[in-house]
């Protein structure tokens, strides 16, 4: 059974930091691209950051990409031994307030597999 379980969300003041974690199980974690998305109230879900899996654009994996709005403030990383992906968020702003979702995706030929976590709330407010 596939599971993605996010944790680490909460309430933080502007300028503060949070570290989100997403623990995965039930699939071959190391071969999946892992991403963080977020959705604020009244807005569409958007990609925040992604990190490639092994055998993707890089044989070893670990290639990262970020939304322009979080570059220089957020860092995505993964620990394949622990089947966990992280999102370190620094210098948080009120506009970062959203539900953050963990996503796993892999495309092999014409077959795509994709999984989502249940989300964790991040609120940035004074």
């Amino acid at each position: 059974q596939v599971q993605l379980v996010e944790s680490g969300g909460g309430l933080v003041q502007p300028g503060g930091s949070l570290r989100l974690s997403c623990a995965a199980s039930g699939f071959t974690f190391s071969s999946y691209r892992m991403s963080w998305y977020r959705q604020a109230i009244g807005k569409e879900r958007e990609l925040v950051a992604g990190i490639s899996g092994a055998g993707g654009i890089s044989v070893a994996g670990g290639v990262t990409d970020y939304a322009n709005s979080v570059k220089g403030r957020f860092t995505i990383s993964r620990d394949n031994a622990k089947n966990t992906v992280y999102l370190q968020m620094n210098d948080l702003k009120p506009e970062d307030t959203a539900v953050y979702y963990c996503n796993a995706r892999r495309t092999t030929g014409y077959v795509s597999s994709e999984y989502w976590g249940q989300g964790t709330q991040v609120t940035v407010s004074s």
Side-chain angles (χ1 to χ4, degrees), residues 25-72:
S25 60
F27 62 97
T28 310
F29 177 82
S30 61
S31 67
Y32 277 68
R33 169 183 164 89
M34 300 300 298
S35 303
W36 288 95
Y37 285 74
R38 68 185 180 188
Q39 188 167 19
I41 294 174
K43 294 188 177 182
E44 293 186 355
R45 191 172 296 189
E46 63 174 355
L47 176 66
V48 175
I51 184 166
S52 67
I57 59 174
S58 163
V59 173
V63 178
T64 59
D65 56 276
Y66 298 91
N68 287 335
S69 59
V70 307
K71 280 182 181 176

Side-chain angles (χ1 to χ4, degrees), residues 4-5 7 10 21 28 30 56-57 60 73 101 107-109 112 116 122 125:
L4 293 174
V5 180
S7 61
S21 299
T28 310
S30 61
I57 59 174
R73 300 189 297 123
Y101 297 91
T107 299
T108 305
S112 293
W116 289 92
V122 171
S125 176

